[in-house]
Amino acid sequence: MKLQQKEEPLPDLLEKDQPLLEVKDLSLSFRQYREGLRETDLQVISKLDITLYKKEIVAVVGASGSGKSLLASAILGLLPENAFLRGTINFKGKPLSPERQEHLRGEEISLIPQSVSALDPLMKTGKQVQAVIKGKNKKAVQQEIFDKVGLPSKTSNSYPFELSGGMVRRVLAATSLASSADLIIADEPTPGLDPFALKETVNYIKQLAENGKGVIFITHDIETALKIADKVAVFYAGQTVEIAKVENFCGSGENLRHPYTKALWNALPQNGFVPLPGSQPLLSEVAEGCIFHPRCPVKTDLCKKKQPESKSKNGEMVRCFYA
Ligand SMILES: Nc1ncnc2c1ncn2[C@@H]1O[C@H](COP(=O)(O)OP(=O)(O)OP(=O)(O)O)[C@@H](O)[C@H]1O
Ligand code: NI
């Protein structure tokens, strides 16, 4: 993986209005080797943008294959060897170079553990949470965090297999809370959860943000996204088409700016299940012009010829000529 970025020495302090994470114009392709010796580049992400502040939860929604998990891998520095990345990823105002990613991963940037398999089956849960706590008084800090997530203090002497699914989720939550990470990425932590477990997960992710962390929450499910996030970033075929504040998802979507975001909103059961004909283009068939134009109800000739630039204001953005 190659990251073309300028290394500039900047102060380490996170200024008040400085984003924790800033992804701008990110593009990503995979070098593929076909029979013979021909090399081709498969472009999977073309224009991704996302900005995240401390204490903020930004949900990333989009159809399967829109680039959500690749964004997570790009931030964590976990892309395969044949991935070629361009654009900007800044963390606390400084470019995330591969060296910095390796250094920060698991320390300041971490992926949320999603299942019991993230816990060591042979270690008592209290010890596991203490292991990620920096500094002194590990035991006392761990007890305090167990309290916060509603785990009885005796749970710290239990092994993971002795706990129910709900308790395990709380131990995982405690682990994330205890960690020093400022940026937490949760990739699809909710599918298959019953409504109670879902509510618990949503609550603990909110707790992470209340405790000062920034969270990127990746999901298929726009309803969960709206329950949890401050802002929603909508991905379509490897592009961010809109970043909207949660409160703009209301009524018939009149405050939403991109036709795809409006369509996602109006396809929800409570908004009348209005379907959007067609499907996200395959990577091999991405055509000229705006990525969404083949399905867009308000397209014009311009949209067929030219890609719209992004327009940003007050932490929101949209990529549409007519928004
Ligand atoms: N190593 C790879 N080589 C080639 N293409 C890849 C590779 N990894 C992912 N892709 C392609 O990149 C696109 C985006 O993948 P990604 O996993 O980010 O989608 P996603 O939005 O997370 O989807 P889902 O909701 O299904 O998890 C997909 O079309 C996928 O097939
Ligand atoms: Ni994914």
Side-chain angles (χ1 to χ4, degrees):
M1 185 196 77
K2 263 190 188 154
L3 197 58
Q4 292 185 335
Q5 286 179 335
K6 277 185 280 170
E7 280 277 9
E8 285 169 8
L10 282 167
D12 208 35
L13 287 173
L14 188 58
E15 283 159 31
K16 197 163 156 274
D17 297 324
Q18 184 185 61
L20 185 61
L21 177 78
E22 199 174 15
V23 175
K24 265 184 110 121
D25 248 330
L26 195 73
S27 71
L28 172 64
S29 53
F30 288 106
R31 188 139 301 165
Q32 300 201 313
Y33 303 93
R34 297 268 163 78
E35 336 83 75
L37 288 168
R38 269 222 348 250
E39 261 182 40
T40 49
D41 278 336
L42 179 69
Q43 180 99 16
V44 289
I45 285 178
S46 55
K47 286 175 185 323
L48 275 196
D49 301 273
I50 197 164
T51 307
L52 178 78
Y53 291 85
K54 273 182 82 157
K55 298 190 160 205
E56 194 175 52
I57 305 176
V58 175
V60 174
V61 302
S64 191
S66 58
K68 305 183 298 295
S69 298
L70 285 177
L71 171 70
S73 306
I75 296 167
L76 288 154
L78 297 174
L79 288 168
E81 277 288 307
N82 62 331
F84 187 74
L85 199 59
R86 270 155 300 161
T88 310
I89 308 180
N90 284 344
F91 178 68
K92 298 187 179 176
K94 285 193 267 183
L96 257 186
S97 61
E99 296 73 36
R100 205 162 159 240
Q101 278 171 322
E102 198 169 326
H103 183 70
L104 297 178
R105 193 165 57 232
E107 297 284 325
E108 289 187 41
I109 303 178
S110 93
L111 193 67
I112 223 167
Q114 290 168 30
S115 71
V116 63
S117 61
L119 295 174
D120 181 342
L122 301 175
M123 201 197 272
K124 290 180 178 171
T125 60
K127 280 265 177 304
Q128 305 206 31
V129 172
Q130 286 167 37
V132 301
I133 296 171
K134 294 247 159 70
K136 290 179 189 156
N137 302 326
K138 292 185 199 298
K139 176 130 183 74
V141 175
Q142 172 254 308
Q143 285 295 357
E144 200 180 304
I145 293 173
F146 270 32
D147 223 34
K148 233 183 212 170
V149 298
L151 280 171
S153 61
K154 65 176 188 326
T155 322
S156 57
N157 283 321
S158 306
Y159 291 95
F161 72 88
E162 296 175 304
L163 302 177
S164 69
M167 299 275 241
V168 167
R169 268 192 304 281
R170 287 182 207 185
V171 174
L172 291 171
T175 314
S176 298
L177 270 173
S179 88
S180 56
D182 297 315
L183 169 61
I184 296 198
I185 302 174
D187 192 357
E188 290 283 1
T190 50
L193 291 185
D194 62 68
F196 179 73
L198 177 62
K199 198 160 174 231
E200 258 191 0
T201 305
V202 166
N203 283 343
Y204 95 65
I205 288 182
K206 283 191 169 163
Q207 235 174 1
L208 292 175
E210 279 156 19
N211 281 269
K213 302 178 191 296
V215 183
I216 293 186
F217 183 85
I218 298 174
T219 179
H220 276 112
D221 178 15
I222 191 152
E223 290 188 275
T224 306
L226 295 176
K227 275 188 205 132
I228 197 169
D230 302 295
K231 282 185 209 150
V232 178
V234 180
F235 284 15
Y236 186 78
Q239 296 192 3
T240 309
V241 294
E242 180 164 4
I243 300 175
K245 293 192 177 129
V246 159
E247 54 269 30
N248 290 337
F249 289 80
C250 62
S252 53
E254 61 276 8
N255 293 341
L256 299 170
R257 297 170 71 198
H258 198 282
Y260 181 59
T261 318
K262 287 182 200 266
L264 283 180
W265 173 243
N266 288 315
L268 292 179
Q270 66 269 33
N271 300 332
F273 261 135
V274 186
L276 173 68
S279 56
Q280 182 176 256
L282 296 174
L283 297 169
S284 51
E285 49 177 54
V286 171
E288 242 186 307
C290 169
I291 193 111
F292 186 63
H293 88 257
R295 299 173 79 188
C296 184
V298 297
K299 65 170 168 283
T300 62
D301 278 345
L302 175 65
C303 311
K304 295 180 194 167
K305 291 188 197 119
K306 231 182 133 202
Q307 288 214 357
E309 293 298 320
S310 65
K311 297 181 244 183
S312 303
K313 208 166 104 189
N314 301 333
E316 297 186 287
M317 78 77 108
V318 67
R319 198 183 289 283
C320 171
F321 291 116
Y322 303 107

